[in-house]
Amino acid sequence: PQLLLDFLFGRLASLDCAALSATESLGTTGYFFNAHLYLGWTISTLWRLTSVNYRNLWPLVSILVGGYACGCFVLLRLFFGRWTATVGALVLMLSPVALSMVIYLRDYAKAPFFIWTLVLLILALRSRSWRSIMVWTCAAGVVLGTGVGFRPDIIILLPVGICALALGVGPRAVRKCAGGIAAFV
């Protein structure tokens, strides 16, 4: 329906579902919704609890921006001191690219998952004990798997993580390497 198209293309900020005809079939969910299943479920839940309005997505946007900001700080903190990491995280958070992407929720949704997967993989690479490698790689796999539900192209981190773990753990620690890769996948 034209009303729904106007809302989806941003010509309307809100949508009154009662204005849609009950006799018009909208069909089933398509590939796009199914490829972004967690994002679609989160948005539909927020709109079901409030009303269908883009402004009502602020809780999701806030969580994603907060996750990105914290992830940037922690990632930089792994390599730099507290103040340098704070300044670096502020620069990354307030960069024109990051600020311009916030309004494109579908594209921005991958940012915190991408950053946190990198953080957890680096922590796994720095770990010495088998148990901590398993914990960090399993956590990285959970974050990556959840992120794929929000934005499928983040799956690019799967081969990157496997290669990093295979090369980073070292040839003498084959058991740690194999266990870490299995936990990550």
Side-chain angles (χ1 to χ4, degrees):
Q2 187 60 43
L3 181 65
L4 187 56
L5 287 175
D6 289 341
F7 175 72
L8 291 175
F9 286 111
R11 294 186 285 264
L12 294 175
S14 63
L15 175 71
D16 182 13
C17 294
L20 295 174
S21 173
T23 60
E24 293 183 58
S25 174
L26 298 178
T28 60
T29 60
Y31 172 76
F32 183 81
F33 182 84
N34 292 332
H36 302 83
L37 197 58
Y38 296 166
L39 181 62
W41 281 349
T42 305
I43 290 171
S44 63
T45 301
L46 282 171
W47 281 346
R48 186 176 304 265
L49 294 173
T50 58
S51 65
V52 182
N53 190 319
Y54 287 119
R55 289 179 297 213
N56 293 335
L57 297 178
W58 69 265
L60 176 60
V61 173
S62 300
I63 290 170
L64 291 173
V65 169
Y68 175 73
C70 292
C72 287
F73 173 77
V74 172
L75 180 64
L76 293 171
R77 187 68 178 99
L78 291 173
F79 300 100
F80 303 106
R82 182 177 300 135
W83 293 109
T84 307
T86 302
V87 170
L90 284 171
V91 167
L92 289 171
M93 282 174 27
L94 301 175
S95 72
V97 173
L99 290 177
S100 68
M101 291 303 294
V102 172
I103 60 171
Y104 301 108
L105 183 59
R106 181 184 69 95
D107 295 326
Y108 189 80
K110 67 183 165 190
F113 298 104
F114 194 94
I115 296 291
W116 278 103
T117 301
L118 289 177
V119 166
L120 294 168
L121 285 172
I122 291 169
L123 288 170
L125 290 171
R126 290 183 172 183
S127 296
R128 296 289 173 236
S129 71
W130 185 80
R131 179 177 290 182
S132 63
I133 289 173
M134 295 301 289
V135 167
W136 293 125
T137 55
C138 187
V142 168
V143 170
L144 179 60
T146 305
V148 167
F150 278 82
R151 182 65 194 234
D153 58 350
I154 195 175
I155 197 70
I156 192 67
L157 285 179
L158 185 63
V160 170
I162 290 171
C163 289
L165 290 169
L167 298 173
V169 175
R172 294 183 296 176
V174 175
R175 181 175 156 224
K176 289 180 184 179
C177 175
I181 291 173
F184 179 58
V185 172

